[in-house]
Amino acid sequence: MEERLQKILAAAGIASRREAEKIITAGRVRVNGKIVTELGSKYDPSSVKISVDGNPIKAETKVYYMFYKPRGVVTTMSDPQNRRSIADFVQDLGERVFPVGRLDYNTEGLLLLTNDGALAQALMHPSHEVNKTYLVKVPGIVPQEKLDMLRVGVKLDDGMTAPAVVNLRSYEHEHNFTLFDITIHEGRNRQVRRMCDAIGYPVRDLKRVKMGPITLSNIGRGKFRELTDGELAALMKAAKL
Ligand code: URA
C-alpha cells in the first residue's frame, strides 16, 4: 500500500513524522537512488528502496495478531471519554498495529490487529463479503418464527438486512434465555444488536467468534496471539490478496 514518505520513515523508526519531514526537505532521503524532497510523495515501501544518508531503511515487517477483546473496551487507539481502549492492550506488543474493523464497547470477541493496511482494507471492503459470526444471548425464549425473520432479513432504519445464517444453540428454560449464533457479511454499525431489537429480543451478550476463516481459539480474554501460517494463508485468500 502506498504511504507518504514521512510516514514510511516514521514507521521504520527513523524519526517522528515531523522530524522525518525535515530529513526529507534537507535532501537526505533517496528513493530508488534519486533524492526526493517533496513531502507529499507516496510510495509502497515494499516495492521501492529507500535510504537516509545512504543507509537503507528496514522495511516494517508485517504482523498479524488475533486479539480477544473484552467487554468494556473501545476499538480505538484513544478515547475522549477516557474509557479503556485497545491501545491499553496493544502497548505490550511494542508494535504499531491497528484493528481490522471494530466491535462495540460492550461486544467481546475476535478482533484482528495488523500493520498491513492492504489486508485490512481488503477485508473490510463490502465486495469481499467476509462472513462474521457472533454468538448471541438474549433474554427470553425466542420462537423459531423470529429466528426465521433474521434469516430472511429485517428492516432497519438504514434498509433491509441481507439474509443471515442463524443456528439455535440452546433454549435455557430454567434461566429464561436463548443462545444462538448468527453469521452476517454486512458491516453496518451495531448491526446484530439492531437486528435483535427489530425482532423484539434485545441482546444481552454479544461475542464475535469468527471472521472469514479465522476462529477465536486458543486465547484468553484480553490476550493476543500471532496468527498461525495456516490462518494467515486462509485470511489472505479470503481477502483475495
Ligand atoms: N454487531 C453489533 O451489533 N455489534 C458489534 O460489535 C458487531 C456487530
Side-chain angles (χ1 to χ4, degrees):
M1 193 177 69
E2 290 203 336
E3 300 212 84
R4 285 169 188 272
L5 192 50
Q6 54 269 45
K7 195 170 169 196
I8 299 171
L9 295 182
I14 302 294
S16 68
R17 230 182 269 190
R18 184 66 52 82
E19 280 300 313
E21 290 178 359
K22 289 187 193 156
I23 294 174
I24 296 166
T25 50
R28 294 167 56 194
V29 179
R30 287 178 188 265
V31 178
N32 290 336
K34 274 177 63 181
I35 292 179
V36 174
T37 53
E38 299 90 60
L39 291 178
S41 325
K42 284 185 162 184
Y43 303 95
D44 179 349
S46 60
S47 59
V48 291
K49 286 197 168 64
I50 301 174
S51 63
V52 179
D53 299 331
N55 303 312
I57 66 163
K58 242 179 60 196
E60 184 182 57
T61 44
K62 301 269 188 277
V63 290
Y64 305 89
Y65 291 96
M66 170 184 293
F67 176 49
Y68 187 161
K69 177 186 136 8
R71 285 179 70 139
V73 173
V74 281
T75 312
T76 53
M77 287 304 180
S78 67
D79 181 54
Q81 295 170 49
N82 262 334
R83 292 174 297 182
R84 265 208 310 173
S85 79
I86 57 168
D88 299 333
F89 297 87
V90 167
Q91 263 171 12
D92 302 343
L93 274 182
E95 276 162 314
R96 196 184 65 113
V97 290
F98 49 83
V100 178
R102 55 184 293 280
L103 289 175
D104 294 339
Y105 182 69
N106 277 326
T107 301
E108 65 170 346
L110 173 61
L111 200 58
L112 296 173
L113 300 173
T114 183
N115 54 2
D116 185 342
L119 177 77
Q121 229 173 2
L123 286 175
M124 296 316 296
H125 200 275
S127 69
H128 290 160
E129 304 203 333
V130 173
N131 283 331
K132 285 146 295 211
T133 303
Y134 298 86
L135 187 57
V136 189
K137 180 176 178 178
V138 300
I141 299 300
V142 186
Q144 282 293 346
E145 312 86 78
K146 296 278 183 177
L147 296 178
D148 283 342
M149 287 170 70
L150 297 177
R151 292 183 177 111
V152 173
V154 292
K155 194 160 174 273
L156 302 181
D157 52 16
D158 51 0
M160 287 296 287
T161 59
V165 176
V166 177
N167 295 304
L168 176 65
R169 297 251 187 136
S170 61
Y171 283 147
E172 299 293 333
H173 290 281
E174 199 185 327
H175 300 288
N176 193 34
F177 66 82
T178 303
L179 268 183
F180 62 92
D181 63 53
I182 181 166
T183 300
I184 58 172
H185 60 76
E186 300 168 290
R188 301 196 219 167
N189 193 27
R190 302 184 70 252
Q191 182 166 340
V192 175
R193 290 176 193 275
R194 290 190 294 136
M195 288 174 79
C196 293
D197 287 345
I199 60 163
Y201 286 86
V203 165
R204 181 187 293 166
D205 292 321
L206 189 59
K207 175 177 176 180
R208 181 154 69 197
V209 291
K210 200 159 185 238
M211 190 168 171
I214 308 296
T215 302
L216 184 73
S217 55
N218 304 324
I219 191 170
R221 210 180 255 125
K223 301 286 186 214
F224 303 93
R225 71 166 173 83
E226 273 191 78
L227 295 188
T228 64
D229 292 348
E231 285 172 334
L232 185 56
L235 196 61
M236 291 291 179
K237 195 168 163 204
K240 302 190 174 79
L241 288 175

